[in-house]
């Protein structure tokens, strides 16, 4: 923690309360400070949310045993955040946001397609986290006899939304300070929560949960991937771009992966033990993932629980709204970064209103959202990783903003590969709990996988297929294109306005 605080103190004090002016532009060498280990704090703070406990119930909901759910969680969490670590390397090699660096693979204007997808994903995530924080606050107030009805939810939504929007609008420096505070407070209170409810764990009940099929295990694994690392890959370089170019790539990968994974892994284990010990608690979590966890708490700890729940969710949402604003700029909106974040904040609050006041099937809609967007994001991730692996030199920062530069304007190959991977992926996933997604799974029967009612229906193979197809397709088809690009001389540095035409 000392390293984090030292690196933050080294930033000029007069910038502490200023709105960050950086948008899509390249971060100059003079502003690039810190070491890879400072990445631990924003990633840990964004993923230490008490929501991690609820993933235990989500995983067991696939019909698998404790040990199967544990294996699916460990593999899914670590592997998906490892993907984030690899993409974070692009940040220190290119000094620009993730969805600008993606232009090297997709072209300057062609990259607007994955930017729009990234924007929808991050806005969706910040909306979900805001809604959960609101519902958790209302549940706590209800148990304390202080309200908990519509008025409480409205006030909670305003307060939580304001915290998130202010953090996203202010930008990097405030976010780094905020995440350090959130990390310490949330970690301490989470440990207290675990100690208070430990006596609700009954190992004989947990161990008696029957094992599921291989298909159900794969479904849980994919859900863990989309719920954790694949929900962050499109923002993975947004913070590493502030590190010096000479920073260790292994350090960037390691600290990103470790910082993001350690809290979810520990919370998942305890969440599995709690959910496996009580079928009623597991069902309640599906309706109110955070609020249900208060039912086993002593009354005196409800207020501290509300603090830990809200802070943890706010920590993740702040990073999301910051990155969603950058994605919106990359998609073509010509406004300052802070205004883009403000626009996303308005959409976030509108979406939260719908979840809090107009829907009663949170888990079904949540899984549907993650799986549906997880397919194109996985395709983008595969393409981005392969493109990064093929490059031997740092990105040409000037040409990232020039439609007629080395990276091209609208190259068809990566766009077609993304579309093909997405079409195949959506044909191999199903979301029966979300009626608006009934059209998915159209390839399960033609591919001999038993159709939408078969054993493979909920394995959600489409996410893995899209990731693999994007990665292998790019490795096979784009090697010569990358070599031609890297033989060109370095161009003058450009700013984001170059691409505005």
């Amino acid at each position: 923690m000392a390293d984090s605080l030292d690196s933050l103190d080294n930033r000029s004090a007069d910038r502490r309360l200023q709105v960050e002016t950086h948008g899509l532009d390249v971060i100059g060498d003079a502003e690039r400070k810190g070491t890879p280990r400072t990445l631990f704090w924003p990633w840990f703070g964004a993923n230490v949310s008490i929501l991690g406990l609820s993933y235990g119930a989500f995983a067991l909901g696939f019909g698998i045993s404790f040990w199967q759910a544990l294996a699916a969680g460990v593999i899914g969490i670590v592997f998906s955040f490892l993907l984030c670590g690899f993409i974070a390397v692009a940040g220190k090699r290119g000094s620009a946001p993730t969805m600008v660096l993606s232009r090297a693979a997709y072209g300057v204007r062609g990259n607007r397609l994955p930017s729009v997808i990234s924007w929808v994903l991050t806005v969706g995530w910040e909306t979900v986290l805001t809604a959960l924080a609101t519902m958790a606050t209302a549940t706590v107030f209800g148990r304390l006899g202080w309200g908990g009805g519509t008025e409480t939810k409205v006030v909670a939504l305003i307060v939580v939304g304001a915290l998130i929007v202010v953090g996203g609008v202010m930008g990097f420096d405030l976010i780094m300070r905020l995440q350090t505070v959130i990390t310490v407070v949330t970690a301490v209170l989470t440990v207290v929560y675990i100690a208070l409810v430990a006596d609700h764990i009954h190992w004989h009940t947990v161990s008696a949960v029957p094992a599921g099929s291989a298909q159900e295990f794969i479904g849980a694994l994919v859900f863990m991937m989309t719920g954790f690392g694949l929900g962050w890959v499109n923002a993975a370089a947004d913070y590493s771009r502030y590190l010096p170019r000479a920073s260790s790539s292994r350090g960037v990968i390691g600290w990103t992966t470790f910082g993001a994974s350690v809290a979810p892994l520990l919370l998942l284990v305890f969440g599995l033990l709690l959910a496996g010990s009580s079928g009623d608690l597991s069902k309640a979590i599906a309706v109110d993932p955070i609020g249900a966890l208060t039912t086993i708490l002593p009354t005196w700890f409800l207020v501290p629980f509300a603090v830990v729940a809200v802070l943890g969710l706010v920590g993740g949402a702040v990073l999301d709204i910051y990155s969603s604003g950058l994605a919106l700029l990359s998609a073509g909106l010509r406004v300052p970064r802070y205004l883009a974040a403000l626009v996303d904040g308005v959409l976030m609050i509108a979406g939260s209103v719908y979840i809090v006041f107009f829907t009663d099937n949170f888990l079904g809609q949540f899984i549907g959202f993650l799986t549906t967007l997880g397919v194109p994001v996985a395709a983008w991730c595969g393409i981005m990783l392969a493109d990064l692996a093929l490059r031997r030199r740092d990105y040409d920062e000037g040409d990232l903003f020039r439609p007629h530069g080395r990276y091209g304007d609208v190259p068809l190959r990566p766009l077609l590969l993304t579309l093909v991977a997405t079409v195949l992926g959506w044909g191999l996933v199903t979301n029966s709990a979300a009626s608006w997604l009934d059209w998915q799974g159209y390839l399960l029967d033609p591919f001999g996988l038993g159709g939408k009612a078969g054993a493979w229906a909920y394995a959600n193979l489409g996410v893995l297929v899209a990731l693999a197809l994007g990665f292998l397709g790019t490795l096979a088809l784009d090697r010569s294109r990358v070599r031609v690009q890297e033989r060109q001389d370095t161009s003058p540095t450009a700013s984001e306005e170059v691409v505005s035409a």
Side-chain angles (χ1 to χ4, degrees), residues 200-233:
H200 288 270
I201 294 175
H202 308 291
W203 175 247
H204 63 280
T205 304
V206 176
S207 60
V209 175
S213 65
Q215 294 91 335
E216 290 167 330
F217 171 81
I218 294 173
L221 170 64
V222 172
F223 176 73
M224 288 295 175
M225 290 176 58
T226 55
F228 288 98
L230 282 180
W232 287 106
V233 287

PDB file of all heavy atoms in Angstrom, residues 200-233:
ATOM      1  N   HIS A 200     -22.935 -20.023   9.778  1.00  0.00           N
ATOM      2  CA  HIS A 200     -24.031 -20.450   8.896  1.00  0.00           C
ATOM      3  C   HIS A 200     -23.560 -21.475   7.862  1.00  0.00           C
ATOM      4  O   HIS A 200     -24.362 -21.941   7.054  1.00  0.00           O
ATOM      5  CB  HIS A 200     -24.635 -19.241   8.171  1.00  0.00           C
ATOM      6  CG  HIS A 200     -25.444 -18.350   9.068  1.00  0.00           C
ATOM      7  ND1 HIS A 200     -26.792 -18.515   9.271  1.00  0.00           N
ATOM      8  CD2 HIS A 200     -25.069 -17.286   9.837  1.00  0.00           C
ATOM      9  CE1 HIS A 200     -27.232 -17.591  10.101  1.00  0.00           C
ATOM     10  NE2 HIS A 200     -26.209 -16.834  10.464  1.00  0.00           N
ATOM     11  N   ILE A 201     -22.279 -21.803   7.899  1.00  0.00           N
ATOM     12  CA  ILE A 201     -21.736 -22.793   6.963  1.00  0.00           C
ATOM     13  C   ILE A 201     -21.876 -24.190   7.562  1.00  0.00           C
ATOM     14  O   ILE A 201     -21.487 -24.426   8.708  1.00  0.00           O
ATOM     15  CB  ILE A 201     -20.249 -22.495   6.663  1.00  0.00           C
ATOM     16  CG1 ILE A 201     -20.127 -21.164   5.900  1.00  0.00           C
ATOM     17  CG2 ILE A 201     -19.629 -23.628   5.846  1.00  0.00           C
ATOM     18  CD1 ILE A 201     -18.694 -20.734   5.681  1.00  0.00           C
ATOM     19  N   HIS A 202     -22.420 -25.091   6.764  1.00  0.00           N
ATOM     20  CA  HIS A 202     -22.594 -26.483   7.200  1.00  0.00           C
ATOM     21  C   HIS A 202     -21.986 -27.388   6.128  1.00  0.00           C
ATOM     22  O   HIS A 202     -22.614 -27.627   5.088  1.00  0.00           O
ATOM     23  CB  HIS A 202     -24.080 -26.797   7.405  1.00  0.00           C
ATOM     24  CG  HIS A 202     -24.774 -25.823   8.297  1.00  0.00           C
ATOM     25  ND1 HIS A 202     -24.518 -25.732   9.646  1.00  0.00           N
ATOM     26  CD2 HIS A 202     -25.709 -24.867   8.025  1.00  0.00           C
ATOM     27  CE1 HIS A 202     -25.269 -24.779  10.180  1.00  0.00           C
ATOM     28  NE2 HIS A 202     -26.002 -24.240   9.222  1.00  0.00           N
ATOM     29  N   TRP A 203     -20.770 -27.854   6.421  1.00  0.00           N
ATOM     30  CA  TRP A 203     -20.035 -28.579   5.402  1.00  0.00           C
ATOM     31  C   TRP A 203     -20.749 -29.850   4.952  1.00  0.00           C
ATOM     32  O   TRP A 203     -20.687 -30.210   3.776  1.00  0.00           O
ATOM     33  CB  TRP A 203     -18.627 -28.908   5.884  1.00  0.00           C
ATOM     34  CG  TRP A 203     -17.876 -29.759   4.906  1.00  0.00           C
ATOM     35  CD1 TRP A 203     -17.463 -31.039   5.064  1.00  0.00           C
ATOM     36  CD2 TRP A 203     -17.483 -29.371   3.595  1.00  0.00           C
ATOM     37  NE1 TRP A 203     -16.839 -31.494   3.932  1.00  0.00           N
ATOM     38  CE2 TRP A 203     -16.832 -30.482   3.011  1.00  0.00           C
ATOM     39  CE3 TRP A 203     -17.609 -28.206   2.845  1.00  0.00           C
ATOM     40  CZ2 TRP A 203     -16.304 -30.467   1.719  1.00  0.00           C
ATOM     41  CZ3 TRP A 203     -17.093 -28.178   1.548  1.00  0.00           C
ATOM     42  CH2 TRP A 203     -16.450 -29.291   1.004  1.00  0.00           C
ATOM     43  N   HIS A 204     -21.447 -30.506   5.852  1.00  0.00           N
ATOM     44  CA  HIS A 204     -22.116 -31.736   5.461  1.00  0.00           C
ATOM     45  C   HIS A 204     -23.208 -31.455   4.422  1.00  0.00           C
ATOM     46  O   HIS A 204     -23.470 -32.288   3.546  1.00  0.00           O
ATOM     47  CB  HIS A 204     -22.722 -32.426   6.686  1.00  0.00           C
ATOM     48  CG  HIS A 204     -23.790 -31.635   7.377  1.00  0.00           C
ATOM     49  ND1 HIS A 204     -23.500 -30.606   8.249  1.00  0.00           N
ATOM     50  CD2 HIS A 204     -25.153 -31.706   7.317  1.00  0.00           C
ATOM     51  CE1 HIS A 204     -24.629 -30.081   8.700  1.00  0.00           C
ATOM     52  NE2 HIS A 204     -25.653 -30.726   8.147  1.00  0.00           N
ATOM     53  N   THR A 205     -23.839 -30.282   4.503  1.00  0.00           N
ATOM     54  CA  THR A 205     -24.841 -29.911   3.506  1.00  0.00           C
ATOM     55  C   THR A 205     -24.171 -29.520   2.193  1.00  0.00           C
ATOM     56  O   THR A 205     -24.615 -29.902   1.101  1.00  0.00           O
ATOM     57  CB  THR A 205     -25.695 -28.728   4.009  1.00  0.00           C
ATOM     58  OG1 THR A 205     -26.285 -29.075   5.264  1.00  0.00           O
ATOM     59  CG2 THR A 205     -26.794 -28.394   3.018  1.00  0.00           C
ATOM     60  N   VAL A 206     -23.095 -28.768   2.292  1.00  0.00           N
ATOM     61  CA  VAL A 206     -22.361 -28.342   1.092  1.00  0.00           C
ATOM     62  C   VAL A 206     -21.822 -29.549   0.331  1.00  0.00           C
ATOM     63  O   VAL A 206     -21.963 -29.650  -0.892  1.00  0.00           O
ATOM     64  CB  VAL A 206     -21.200 -27.401   1.470  1.00  0.00           C
ATOM     65  CG1 VAL A 206     -20.373 -27.047   0.242  1.00  0.00           C
ATOM     66  CG2 VAL A 206     -21.724 -26.143   2.142  1.00  0.00           C
ATOM     67  N   SER A 207     -21.212 -30.471   1.048  1.00  0.00           N
ATOM     68  CA  SER A 207     -20.594 -31.630   0.392  1.00  0.00           C
ATOM     69  C   SER A 207     -21.614 -32.587  -0.192  1.00  0.00           C
ATOM     70  O   SER A 207     -21.283 -33.420  -1.041  1.00  0.00           O
ATOM     71  CB  SER A 207     -19.698 -32.381   1.389  1.00  0.00           C
ATOM     72  OG  SER A 207     -20.461 -32.830   2.502  1.00  0.00           O
ATOM     73  N   ALA A 208     -22.866 -32.446   0.248  1.00  0.00           N
ATOM     74  CA  ALA A 208     -23.913 -33.339  -0.265  1.00  0.00           C
ATOM     75  C   ALA A 208     -24.535 -32.844  -1.564  1.00  0.00           C
ATOM     76  O   ALA A 208     -25.338 -33.564  -2.173  1.00  0.00           O
ATOM     77  CB  ALA A 208     -25.007 -33.511   0.788  1.00  0.00           C
ATOM     78  N   VAL A 209     -24.193 -31.637  -1.989  1.00  0.00           N
ATOM     79  CA  VAL A 209     -24.731 -31.120  -3.253  1.00  0.00           C
ATOM     80  C   VAL A 209     -24.245 -32.020  -4.385  1.00  0.00           C
ATOM     81  O   VAL A 209     -23.036 -32.228  -4.540  1.00  0.00           O
ATOM     82  CB  VAL A 209     -24.283 -29.661  -3.496  1.00  0.00           C
ATOM     83  CG1 VAL A 209     -24.751 -29.181  -4.871  1.00  0.00           C
ATOM     84  CG2 VAL A 209     -24.806 -28.757  -2.392  1.00  0.00           C
ATOM     85  N   PRO A 210     -25.149 -32.576  -5.185  1.00  0.00           N
ATOM     86  CA  PRO A 210     -24.728 -33.535  -6.213  1.00  0.00           C
ATOM     87  C   PRO A 210     -23.951 -32.882  -7.346  1.00  0.00           C
ATOM     88  O   PRO A 210     -24.123 -31.693  -7.639  1.00  0.00           O
ATOM     89  CB  PRO A 210     -26.057 -34.098  -6.725  1.00  0.00           C
ATOM     90  CG  PRO A 210     -27.061 -33.036  -6.419  1.00  0.00           C
ATOM     91  CD  PRO A 210     -26.608 -32.394  -5.145  1.00  0.00           C
ATOM     92  N   ALA A 211     -23.102 -33.686  -7.963  1.00  0.00           N
ATOM     93  CA  ALA A 211     -22.301 -33.204  -9.091  1.00  0.00           C
ATOM     94  C   ALA A 211     -23.166 -33.056 -10.334  1.00  0.00           C
ATOM     95  O   ALA A 211     -24.179 -33.735 -10.499  1.00  0.00           O
ATOM     96  CB  ALA A 211     -21.144 -34.156  -9.360  1.00  0.00           C
ATOM     97  N   GLY A 212     -22.771 -32.160 -11.208  1.00  0.00           N
ATOM     98  CA  GLY A 212     -23.475 -31.947 -12.463  1.00  0.00           C
ATOM     99  C   GLY A 212     -22.705 -32.538 -13.621  1.00  0.00           C
ATOM    100  O   GLY A 212     -21.642 -33.142 -13.460  1.00  0.00           O
ATOM    101  N   SER A 213     -23.224 -32.326 -14.801  1.00  0.00           N
ATOM    102  CA  SER A 213     -22.614 -32.866 -16.019  1.00  0.00           C
ATOM    103  C   SER A 213     -21.463 -31.984 -16.475  1.00  0.00           C
ATOM    104  O   SER A 213     -21.267 -30.865 -15.987  1.00  0.00           O
ATOM    105  CB  SER A 213     -23.660 -32.946 -17.125  1.00  0.00           C
ATOM    106  OG  SER A 213     -24.102 -31.643 -17.474  1.00  0.00           O
ATOM    107  N   ALA A 214     -20.709 -32.494 -17.447  1.00  0.00           N
ATOM    108  CA  ALA A 214     -19.615 -31.708 -18.024  1.00  0.00           C
ATOM    109  C   ALA A 214     -20.145 -30.443 -18.679  1.00  0.00           C
ATOM    110  O   ALA A 214     -19.523 -29.375 -18.609  1.00  0.00           O
ATOM    111  CB  ALA A 214     -18.855 -32.552 -19.042  1.00  0.00           C
ATOM    112  N   GLN A 215     -21.312 -30.546 -19.318  1.00  0.00           N
ATOM    113  CA  GLN A 215     -21.902 -29.385 -19.967  1.00  0.00           C
ATOM    114  C   GLN A 215     -22.273 -28.303 -18.952  1.00  0.00           C
ATOM    115  O   GLN A 215     -22.070 -27.110 -19.193  1.00  0.00           O
ATOM    116  CB  GLN A 215     -23.146 -29.796 -20.760  1.00  0.00           C
ATOM    117  CG  GLN A 215     -22.844 -30.705 -21.948  1.00  0.00           C
ATOM    118  CD  GLN A 215     -22.912 -32.176 -21.582  1.00  0.00           C
ATOM    119  OE1 GLN A 215     -22.734 -32.531 -20.407  1.00  0.00           O
ATOM    120  NE2 GLN A 215     -23.157 -33.040 -22.555  1.00  0.00           N
ATOM    121  N   GLU A 216     -22.806 -28.719 -17.800  1.00  0.00           N
ATOM    122  CA  GLU A 216     -23.163 -27.753 -16.765  1.00  0.00           C
ATOM    123  C   GLU A 216     -21.919 -27.101 -16.175  1.00  0.00           C
ATOM    124  O   GLU A 216     -21.915 -25.901 -15.859  1.00  0.00           O
ATOM    125  CB  GLU A 216     -23.976 -28.451 -15.673  1.00  0.00           C
ATOM    126  CG  GLU A 216     -25.372 -28.851 -16.147  1.00  0.00           C
ATOM    127  CD  GLU A 216     -26.082 -29.800 -15.200  1.00  0.00           C
ATOM    128  OE1 GLU A 216     -25.382 -30.595 -14.511  1.00  0.00           O
ATOM    129  OE2 GLU A 216     -27.330 -29.770 -15.150  1.00  0.00           O
ATOM    130  N   PHE A 217     -20.854 -27.884 -16.031  1.00  0.00           N
ATOM    131  CA  PHE A 217     -19.585 -27.336 -15.553  1.00  0.00           C
ATOM    132  C   PHE A 217     -19.054 -26.280 -16.522  1.00  0.00           C
ATOM    133  O   PHE A 217     -18.615 -25.196 -16.107  1.00  0.00           O
ATOM    134  CB  PHE A 217     -18.551 -28.454 -15.390  1.00  0.00           C
ATOM    135  CG  PHE A 217     -17.163 -27.956 -15.100  1.00  0.00           C
ATOM    136  CD1 PHE A 217     -16.795 -27.591 -13.816  1.00  0.00           C
ATOM    137  CD2 PHE A 217     -16.220 -27.849 -16.116  1.00  0.00           C
ATOM    138  CE1 PHE A 217     -15.516 -27.120 -13.542  1.00  0.00           C
ATOM    139  CE2 PHE A 217     -14.939 -27.379 -15.858  1.00  0.00           C
ATOM    140  CZ  PHE A 217     -14.589 -27.015 -14.569  1.00  0.00           C
ATOM    141  N   ILE A 218     -19.094 -26.569 -17.820  1.00  0.00           N
ATOM    142  CA  ILE A 218     -18.621 -25.611 -18.821  1.00  0.00           C
ATOM    143  C   ILE A 218     -19.465 -24.347 -18.797  1.00  0.00           C
ATOM    144  O   ILE A 218     -18.958 -23.226 -18.921  1.00  0.00           O
ATOM    145  CB  ILE A 218     -18.632 -26.257 -20.225  1.00  0.00           C
ATOM    146  CG1 ILE A 218     -17.614 -27.401 -20.289  1.00  0.00           C
ATOM    147  CG2 ILE A 218     -18.328 -25.214 -21.306  1.00  0.00           C
ATOM    148  CD1 ILE A 218     -17.675 -28.204 -21.568  1.00  0.00           C
ATOM    149  N   GLY A 219     -20.789 -24.514 -18.613  1.00  0.00           N
ATOM    150  CA  GLY A 219     -21.658 -23.348 -18.521  1.00  0.00           C
ATOM    151  C   GLY A 219     -21.275 -22.442 -17.365  1.00  0.00           C
ATOM    152  O   GLY A 219     -21.234 -21.206 -17.501  1.00  0.00           O
ATOM    153  N   ALA A 220     -20.986 -23.028 -16.202  1.00  0.00           N
ATOM    154  CA  ALA A 220     -20.561 -22.243 -15.043  1.00  0.00           C
ATOM    155  C   ALA A 220     -19.212 -21.577 -15.301  1.00  0.00           C
ATOM    156  O   ALA A 220     -18.990 -20.423 -14.919  1.00  0.00           O
ATOM    157  CB  ALA A 220     -20.475 -23.144 -13.804  1.00  0.00           C
ATOM    158  N   LEU A 221     -18.310 -22.303 -15.949  1.00  0.00           N
ATOM    159  CA  LEU A 221     -16.986 -21.763 -16.272  1.00  0.00           C
ATOM    160  C   LEU A 221     -17.107 -20.529 -17.165  1.00  0.00           C
ATOM    161  O   LEU A 221     -16.486 -19.493 -16.917  1.00  0.00           O
ATOM    162  CB  LEU A 221     -16.153 -22.842 -16.963  1.00  0.00           C
ATOM    163  CG  LEU A 221     -14.825 -22.396 -17.590  1.00  0.00           C
ATOM    164  CD1 LEU A 221     -13.874 -21.902 -16.516  1.00  0.00           C
ATOM    165  CD2 LEU A 221     -14.198 -23.538 -18.378  1.00  0.00           C
ATOM    166  N   VAL A 222     -17.919 -20.638 -18.210  1.00  0.00           N
ATOM    167  CA  VAL A 222     -18.099 -19.516 -19.135  1.00  0.00           C
ATOM    168  C   VAL A 222     -18.749 -18.339 -18.429  1.00  0.00           C
ATOM    169  O   VAL A 222     -18.387 -17.177 -18.638  1.00  0.00           O
ATOM    170  CB  VAL A 222     -18.929 -19.952 -20.356  1.00  0.00           C
ATOM    171  CG1 VAL A 222     -19.282 -18.748 -21.232  1.00  0.00           C
ATOM    172  CG2 VAL A 222     -18.173 -20.990 -21.179  1.00  0.00           C
ATOM    173  N   PHE A 223     -19.716 -18.624 -17.563  1.00  0.00           N
ATOM    174  CA  PHE A 223     -20.364 -17.553 -16.814  1.00  0.00           C
ATOM    175  C   PHE A 223     -19.349 -16.817 -15.942  1.00  0.00           C
ATOM    176  O   PHE A 223     -19.377 -15.578 -15.836  1.00  0.00           O
ATOM    177  CB  PHE A 223     -21.488 -18.114 -15.947  1.00  0.00           C
ATOM    178  CG  PHE A 223     -22.135 -17.090 -15.066  1.00  0.00           C
ATOM    179  CD1 PHE A 223     -22.982 -16.137 -15.596  1.00  0.00           C
ATOM    180  CD2 PHE A 223     -21.875 -17.063 -13.699  1.00  0.00           C
ATOM    181  CE1 PHE A 223     -23.568 -15.167 -14.783  1.00  0.00           C
ATOM    182  CE2 PHE A 223     -22.458 -16.106 -12.887  1.00  0.00           C
ATOM    183  CZ  PHE A 223     -23.307 -15.161 -13.434  1.00  0.00           C
ATOM    184  N   MET A 224     -18.446 -17.553 -15.299  1.00  0.00           N
ATOM    185  CA  MET A 224     -17.424 -16.916 -14.480  1.00  0.00           C
ATOM    186  C   MET A 224     -16.499 -16.045 -15.327  1.00  0.00           C
ATOM    187  O   MET A 224     -16.104 -14.949 -14.921  1.00  0.00           O
ATOM    188  CB  MET A 224     -16.603 -17.987 -13.745  1.00  0.00           C
ATOM    189  CG  MET A 224     -17.357 -18.665 -12.620  1.00  0.00           C
ATOM    190  SD  MET A 224     -17.739 -17.502 -11.297  1.00  0.00           S
ATOM    191  CE  MET A 224     -18.731 -18.536 -10.233  1.00  0.00           C
ATOM    192  N   MET A 225     -16.160 -16.518 -16.512  1.00  0.00           N
ATOM    193  CA  MET A 225     -15.304 -15.734 -17.397  1.00  0.00           C
ATOM    194  C   MET A 225     -15.982 -14.432 -17.806  1.00  0.00           C
ATOM    195  O   MET A 225     -15.382 -13.359 -17.763  1.00  0.00           O
ATOM    196  CB  MET A 225     -14.938 -16.548 -18.638  1.00  0.00           C
ATOM    197  CG  MET A 225     -13.992 -17.692 -18.380  1.00  0.00           C
ATOM    198  SD  MET A 225     -13.700 -18.677 -19.874  1.00  0.00           S
ATOM    199  CE  MET A 225     -13.038 -17.426 -21.004  1.00  0.00           C
ATOM    200  N   THR A 226     -17.258 -14.514 -18.203  1.00  0.00           N
ATOM    201  CA  THR A 226     -17.952 -13.313 -18.654  1.00  0.00           C
ATOM    202  C   THR A 226     -18.279 -12.386 -17.487  1.00  0.00           C
ATOM    203  O   THR A 226     -18.329 -11.165 -17.646  1.00  0.00           O
ATOM    204  CB  THR A 226     -19.253 -13.677 -19.389  1.00  0.00           C
ATOM    205  OG1 THR A 226     -20.075 -14.498 -18.549  1.00  0.00           O
ATOM    206  CG2 THR A 226     -18.960 -14.440 -20.669  1.00  0.00           C
ATOM    207  N   GLY A 227     -18.498 -12.959 -16.295  1.00  0.00           N
ATOM    208  CA  GLY A 227     -18.818 -12.146 -15.138  1.00  0.00           C
ATOM    209  C   GLY A 227     -17.621 -11.444 -14.535  1.00  0.00           C
ATOM    210  O   GLY A 227     -17.778 -10.464 -13.804  1.00  0.00           O
ATOM    211  N   PHE A 228     -16.426 -11.917 -14.854  1.00  0.00           N
ATOM    212  CA  PHE A 228     -15.219 -11.308 -14.292  1.00  0.00           C
ATOM    213  C   PHE A 228     -14.333 -10.732 -15.402  1.00  0.00           C
ATOM    214  O   PHE A 228     -14.611  -9.653 -15.902  1.00  0.00           O
ATOM    215  CB  PHE A 228     -14.485 -12.321 -13.414  1.00  0.00           C
ATOM    216  CG  PHE A 228     -15.192 -12.589 -12.114  1.00  0.00           C
ATOM    217  CD1 PHE A 228     -16.016 -13.690 -11.961  1.00  0.00           C
ATOM    218  CD2 PHE A 228     -15.051 -11.717 -11.045  1.00  0.00           C
ATOM    219  CE1 PHE A 228     -16.689 -13.918 -10.764  1.00  0.00           C
ATOM    220  CE2 PHE A 228     -15.721 -11.933  -9.842  1.00  0.00           C
ATOM    221  CZ  PHE A 228     -16.543 -13.034  -9.707  1.00  0.00           C
ATOM    222  N   GLY A 229     -13.283 -11.413 -15.804  1.00  0.00           N
ATOM    223  CA  GLY A 229     -12.297 -10.816 -16.698  1.00  0.00           C
ATOM    224  C   GLY A 229     -12.827 -10.345 -18.037  1.00  0.00           C
ATOM    225  O   GLY A 229     -12.428  -9.276 -18.532  1.00  0.00           O
ATOM    226  N   LEU A 230     -13.721 -11.114 -18.673  1.00  0.00           N
ATOM    227  CA  LEU A 230     -14.230 -10.693 -19.976  1.00  0.00           C
ATOM    228  C   LEU A 230     -15.102  -9.447 -19.871  1.00  0.00           C
ATOM    229  O   LEU A 230     -15.404  -8.817 -20.890  1.00  0.00           O
ATOM    230  CB  LEU A 230     -15.010 -11.826 -20.654  1.00  0.00           C
ATOM    231  CG  LEU A 230     -14.167 -12.924 -21.296  1.00  0.00           C
ATOM    232  CD1 LEU A 230     -15.040 -13.983 -21.945  1.00  0.00           C
ATOM    233  CD2 LEU A 230     -13.192 -12.335 -22.327  1.00  0.00           C
ATOM    234  N   GLY A 231     -15.505  -9.101 -18.677  1.00  0.00           N
ATOM    235  CA  GLY A 231     -16.215  -7.844 -18.481  1.00  0.00           C
ATOM    236  C   GLY A 231     -15.288  -6.651 -18.336  1.00  0.00           C
ATOM    237  O   GLY A 231     -15.732  -5.502 -18.331  1.00  0.00           O
ATOM    238  N   TRP A 232     -13.970  -6.931 -18.252  1.00  0.00           N
ATOM    239  CA  TRP A 232     -12.981  -5.867 -18.060  1.00  0.00           C
ATOM    240  C   TRP A 232     -11.965  -5.753 -19.193  1.00  0.00           C
ATOM    241  O   TRP A 232     -11.222  -4.766 -19.247  1.00  0.00           O
ATOM    242  CB  TRP A 232     -12.208  -6.099 -16.755  1.00  0.00           C
ATOM    243  CG  TRP A 232     -12.974  -5.823 -15.511  1.00  0.00           C
ATOM    244  CD1 TRP A 232     -13.490  -6.747 -14.635  1.00  0.00           C
ATOM    245  CD2 TRP A 232     -13.326  -4.550 -14.961  1.00  0.00           C
ATOM    246  NE1 TRP A 232     -14.125  -6.125 -13.590  1.00  0.00           N
ATOM    247  CE2 TRP A 232     -14.045  -4.771 -13.761  1.00  0.00           C
ATOM    248  CE3 TRP A 232     -13.105  -3.234 -15.370  1.00  0.00           C
ATOM    249  CZ2 TRP A 232     -14.527  -3.729 -12.974  1.00  0.00           C
ATOM    250  CZ3 TRP A 232     -13.599  -2.203 -14.579  1.00  0.00           C
ATOM    251  CH2 TRP A 232     -14.289  -2.458 -13.400  1.00  0.00           C
ATOM    252  N   VAL A 233     -11.889  -6.740 -20.090  1.00  0.00           N
ATOM    253  CA  VAL A 233     -10.820  -6.746 -21.090  1.00  0.00           C
ATOM    254  C   VAL A 233     -10.810  -5.486 -21.950  1.00  0.00           C
ATOM    255  O   VAL A 233      -9.755  -5.001 -22.364  1.00  0.00           O
ATOM    256  CB  VAL A 233     -10.898  -7.988 -22.012  1.00  0.00           C
ATOM    257  CG1 VAL A 233     -10.464  -9.238 -21.283  1.00  0.00           C
ATOM    258  CG2 VAL A 233     -12.291  -8.136 -22.624  1.00  0.00           C
TER     259      VAL A 233
END
